[in-house]
Amino acid sequence: LGMVFHSCTNYDQAAQCYQLAIEKNESAWIWNYYLGYLYKELGESDRVIENFERVIELNPNADLAWYYLGEAYRNLKKTELSEKAFSRIANKSNANKVSETTRKDNFPLSVYALFELSNIYIDNGHPEIAEETINKLLAQSDVFGPAYRVLASIYFVKGESTLGERFSARANDLLLTSAPVDAIIDKLAMMSRSELFLLKLI
């Protein structure tokens, strides 16, 4: 019932149902996952953290939970915790591996995590570490467009405009990327009849 409410953007009712499900079975991490994602949609980072911390306590291998934690910590300016969460999955080549019956992601989750780490380093005045991280990302996948945009901005700041323009042009040649594929949240999309909810996911 919570999933039905959630997929129709009835967030208050969905949150109540998820909370009841959690109280019924505290060891079932999936309801904290859905509740954490609901609060992610609402921009309530404190509650996102509360729920996804519970998820990884019950299931440390829930890679996307670590990713969402990293995002939430970053939103709250908790840089060290955000870096720790993203680093947890940045070196896992098989992170968030999904079955063949779900949507295929163009990039492994480690690529998204490395990209987020590079942005953290830039925000904190460490462009050299950001550049190193981006190069590590591109060694895994050299068609991740946003990485070239970050490289371009780094080189422009360094005064190397030729390289900046080169990488900026390369970024424009590549497709924009979306968020990582989340097969668990895809279940909500499959049952949804709400244009509002589906457009948010698209």
Side-chain angles (χ1 to χ4, degrees), residues 19-163:
Q19 194 58 56
L20 288 170
I22 291 166
E23 291 172 7
K24 284 278 187 180
N25 186 357
E26 294 183 359
S27 63
W29 58 268
I30 190 66
W31 306 120
N32 286 105
Y33 191 99
Y34 280 123
L35 188 55
Y37 195 90
L38 182 151
Y39 287 126
K40 177 181 180 296
E41 290 181 74
L42 296 176
E44 299 184 28
S45 296
D46 285 325
R47 290 183 169 183
V48 172
I49 290 169
E50 176 186 338
N51 281 281
F52 282 114
E53 281 185 341
R54 179 61 178 161
V55 170
I56 61 174
E57 180 183 332
L58 296 169
N59 181 9
N61 293 318
D63 297 315
L64 273 166
W66 287 100
Y67 184 84
Y68 296 141
L69 269 177
E71 288 184 324
Y73 285 134
R74 189 177 175 202
N75 290 340
L76 295 177
K77 310 298 183 188
K78 297 183 177 181
T79 304
E80 288 185 11
L81 291 173
S82 180
E83 186 177 342
K84 179 181 177 183
F86 287 128
S87 296
R88 175 71 166 69
I89 50 178
N91 298 315
K92 290 181 67 175
S93 59
N94 63 341
N96 194 35
K97 191 172 183 179
V98 295
S99 71
E100 294 179 0
T101 59
T102 63
R103 285 187 300 141
K104 181 180 178 181
D105 205 332
N106 293 319
F107 307 100
L109 188 59
S110 57
V111 165
Y112 294 100
L114 286 167
F115 180 70
E116 294 297 335
L117 282 171
S118 70
N119 285 314
I120 289 173
Y121 297 139
I122 287 174
D123 291 344
N124 287 278
H126 301 294
E128 66 289 342
I129 305 178
E131 182 180 356
E132 181 182 327
T133 304
I134 286 293
N135 286 327
K136 184 176 180 181
L137 181 164
L138 292 173
Q140 290 188 41
S141 179
D142 61 359
V143 292
F144 190 79
Y148 291 101
R149 202 169 302 282
V150 170
L151 267 185
S153 66
I154 290 171
Y155 285 120
F156 279 128
V157 168
K158 291 167 69 173
E160 300 180 34
S161 57
T162 302
L163 280 174

